Amino acid sequence: MKKRFLIAVSVILVAAAALSMSACIFWGMGSSPDLETDAPFAQQVLDYIDTYYYEDIDWDVFQYNLGAAIAGSVDKFTGLTVTSPINASSSQLGVTLSSNRYNEHYVSRVVPGSNAETAVPYQVFEYENGQIVKMYGAAAAEENMGTVGLKRGDEIVAIKTSEDSEQWTRVQNLAQSTLNELVSALDTVDMRVYRYRYDENGEREIAYQLYFRVEKKVFHTPTARYIDGNDIGLGDGFGYISLTEFGDTAVDDFAAAAQAFVDDPSSPTMLLLDLRGNGGGSSTILGFIASYFVSDGSDKAPMARYVYNNGGMQAETWFYTSRTVESSKESGKTLTSFNFYDEVEGFEVAVLTDGGTASSSELLTWTIDFYSPSGAPTVGTTTYGKGVAQTVISLAGGNYELYITNGKYYVPLDVGGETAWETSIHEVGISPSPLNVVETTEVRDYPQDLVIQRAAAVLANN
């Protein structure tokens, strides 16, 4: 009975520490606080546990559990994470993978110049009506298929988990995190891939089963990429930019993609901006990218009103677009945006979204629509709905990072000719109009992508 009571006391004390910890940590925000010195109450709780618990408690374990208590009792965006070196992953193969709710793993992007783009399948099975009709190797692959390399829409169905073994592991139904763990342990990855064809009703069937061997290498993966509409089956008049994240190089990558759209010899006027799976990021990067889409050419256009906790007092600030930003690739270089509406006569844009479009990418979606002269249609499915932001605090000498949700932002809405700033997308998201909803659980190559096709049709009919 006594042991149960003491354990219960410990649990209650940990919960109390979790609920009070944010207030303690705000006191030490100036200089990378250490939890042991800047959170004396948490240390006191550990002392109680050390005194009464029947085994020794590791401080790191306690700290991690404390973070879990915060995440469970506050919100899903607040919590403690362990800082650790980034392991090799599927990104070093030169591909980005997307997994649906059935844990089918599709290639959603192939990095130009990567080994994945140039890999030649060493064995190919060609299908017709569900039956294998041809089998050939690397020498005949390009001649028979007219192309090599991994493609967007390819489904990875199995990999070899050892470079010295002939044993294949089926990865369908495995979580993507598990797949990444398997891949991270390998320097060269053998994979079995399905490539599909589609009939006139949009039904798919296997066209090829391909065996690839791809060696990892370290290279820059652009977060933004421009593709001429002619190269993805849309024809003249269209350009396509995918923006996968607001990462370190996003400003340089987007600036290059935007310039490529303007300089395209086919002179496109309609842009598809693909934000599917973009989980957001820095408000500075957001402000620079959004500045390309402000139709009146303003250097500093308001995007959102941000209401936040400033050391226990409610405060307010604003998110603005910005036409200049420091380059992340070239030290000392400043990037300057331009206005699409000034550079491209008759410019129109549609934004492609899904449930993975979150936070800064949602605010970008809203901003583009609000500042477009005739509105920018959203095509795909409803966005995630994250209208809050976090402050990040380094703990324990940089071994941990504490994320604390400290504010909510409000987006502009035209009300009777006046702009109101009381609308939040948090836990609501941004929904396409009913006609522009396109739901799919699979990734297809660009010419067969149903969301891209629908977005192009919407702009063409405007």
Side-chain angles (χ1 to χ4, degrees):
M1 176 66 72
K2 183 178 179 182
K3 181 184 286 187
R4 280 188 200 163
F5 173 74
L6 292 173
I7 292 174
V9 169
S10 298
V11 171
I12 291 170
L13 286 170
V14 169
L19 292 174
S20 64
M21 184 178 174
S22 60
C24 294
I25 287 172
F26 274 117
W27 298 339
M29 284 181 63
S31 57
S32 296
D34 184 306
L35 192 58
E36 294 192 55
T37 58
D38 291 353
F41 184 72
Q43 179 63 61
Q44 187 179 32
V45 171
L46 179 63
D47 290 341
Y48 274 117
I49 295 175
D50 280 342
T51 300
Y52 293 106
Y53 197 63
Y54 72 102
E55 291 181 345
D56 289 337
I57 299 295
D58 182 89
W59 174 255
D60 286 345
V61 172
F62 170 76
Q63 191 166 247
Y64 187 82
N65 289 335
L66 188 60
I70 293 172
S73 61
V74 181
D75 69 16
K76 57 188 174 183
F77 305 114
T78 297
L80 198 67
T81 63
V82 178
T83 304
S84 59
I86 298 173
N87 293 323
S89 67
S90 59
S91 64
Q92 289 187 314
L93 293 174
V95 297
T96 302
L97 300 181
S98 295
S99 302
N100 61 23
R101 60 177 174 268
Y102 306 114
N103 282 324
E104 296 170 326
H105 308 291
Y106 296 93
V107 174
S108 57
R109 191 178 185 202
V110 180
V111 179
S114 66
N115 289 342
E117 184 186 47
T118 57
V120 178
Y122 59 82
Q123 191 170 28
V124 179
F125 293 94
E126 191 170 332
Y127 285 75
E128 198 67 54
N129 298 321
Q131 302 296 319
I132 297 175
V133 294
K134 286 183 183 178
M135 182 182 71
Y136 40 87
E142 190 167 4
E143 178 183 348
N144 283 272
M145 300 172 61
T147 185
V148 296
L150 285 157
K151 302 293 180 185
R152 188 174 192 267
D154 286 348
E155 182 186 357
I156 298 178
V157 295
I159 66 169
K160 283 185 182 179
T161 53
S162 171
E163 297 171 10
D164 301 323
S165 171
E166 291 303 313
Q167 183 68 39
W168 289 86
T169 298
R170 193 171 185 84
V171 299
Q172 287 174 314
N173 301 319
L174 288 182
Q176 185 168 335
S177 59
T178 304
L179 172 58
N180 284 338
E181 287 178 11
L182 294 175
V183 170
S184 68
L186 303 169
D187 294 322
T188 300
V189 182
D190 283 76
M191 62 185 76
R192 194 162 75 234
V193 169
Y194 286 158
R195 184 167 295 169
Y196 296 98
R197 68 168 64 90
Y198 299 87
D199 62 21
E200 62 275 6
N201 298 316
E203 297 295 324
R204 74 176 188 179
E205 63 176 16
I206 299 173
Y208 300 98
Q209 184 174 179
L210 310 166
Y211 289 70
F212 285 100
R213 178 168 295 151
V214 181
E215 183 179 354
K216 290 180 180 176
K217 70 174 182 179
V218 178
F219 49 82
H220 169 60
T221 303
T223 56
R225 180 189 179 193
Y226 175 71
I227 304 177
D228 187 314
N230 289 292
D231 295 335
I232 56 176
L234 298 179
D236 287 338
F238 290 97
Y240 169 90
I241 293 178
S242 63
L243 179 63
T244 57
E245 61 178 85
F246 290 73
D248 290 341
T249 64
V251 290
D252 297 82
D253 294 339
F254 189 86
Q259 192 64 54
F261 172 75
V262 171
D263 294 341
D264 190 332
S266 66
S267 301
T269 60
M270 294 174 282
L271 175 65
L272 307 186
L273 178 62
D274 196 340
L275 298 180
R276 289 176 291 178
N278 186 326
S282 164
S283 59
T284 301
I285 296 173
L286 162 67
F288 177 71
I289 293 174
S291 68
Y292 283 85
F293 298 92
V294 179
S295 57
D296 64 4
S298 171
D299 288 340
K300 190 178 179 182
M303 297 183 293
R305 180 174 70 96
Y306 185 55
V307 180
Y308 66 101
N309 180 350
N310 184 20
M313 300 290 290
Q314 181 172 299
E316 176 178 300
T317 189
W318 294 79
F319 294 156
Y320 291 96
T321 63
S322 175
R323 292 217 170 274
T324 60
V325 70
E326 184 178 343
S327 168
S328 58
K329 289 184 177 179
E330 299 181 45
S331 177
K333 179 181 178 181
T334 299
L335 298 175
T336 302
S337 70
F338 55 78
N339 186 293
F340 277 125
Y341 295 93
D342 290 340
E343 297 292 325
V344 179
E345 185 176 355
F347 175 75
E348 294 182 85
V349 57
V351 183
L352 284 55
T353 64
D354 63 8
T357 306
S359 195
S360 291
S361 58
E362 290 178 285
L363 186 46
L364 177 60
T365 301
W366 191 283
T367 300
I368 291 172
D369 182 44
F370 184 78
Y371 285 107
S372 171
S374 57
T378 301
V379 182
T381 54
T382 301
T383 61
Y384 183 85
K386 182 177 183 289
V388 294
Q390 287 69 42
T391 186
V392 184
I393 301 168
S394 178
L395 299 175
N399 292 324
Y400 297 86
E401 287 185 337
L402 179 65
Y403 288 76
I404 303 175
T405 300
N406 73 328
K408 178 185 286 188
Y409 65 77
Y410 297 86
V411 293
L413 190 67
D414 189 302
V415 180
E418 299 291 331
T419 301
W421 297 89
E422 304 297 330
T423 300
S424 171
I425 63 167
H426 191 55
E427 297 183 337
V428 177
I430 301 170
S431 297
S433 66
L435 290 177
N436 294 343
V437 172
V438 182
E439 297 192 33
T440 180
T441 61
E442 62 192 43
V443 177
R444 300 185 178 188
D445 200 6
Y446 297 106
Q448 290 83 38
D449 188 309
L450 300 178
V451 182
I452 289 176
Q453 290 179 354
R454 177 59 191 160
V458 169
L459 289 185
N461 294 327
N462 272 356

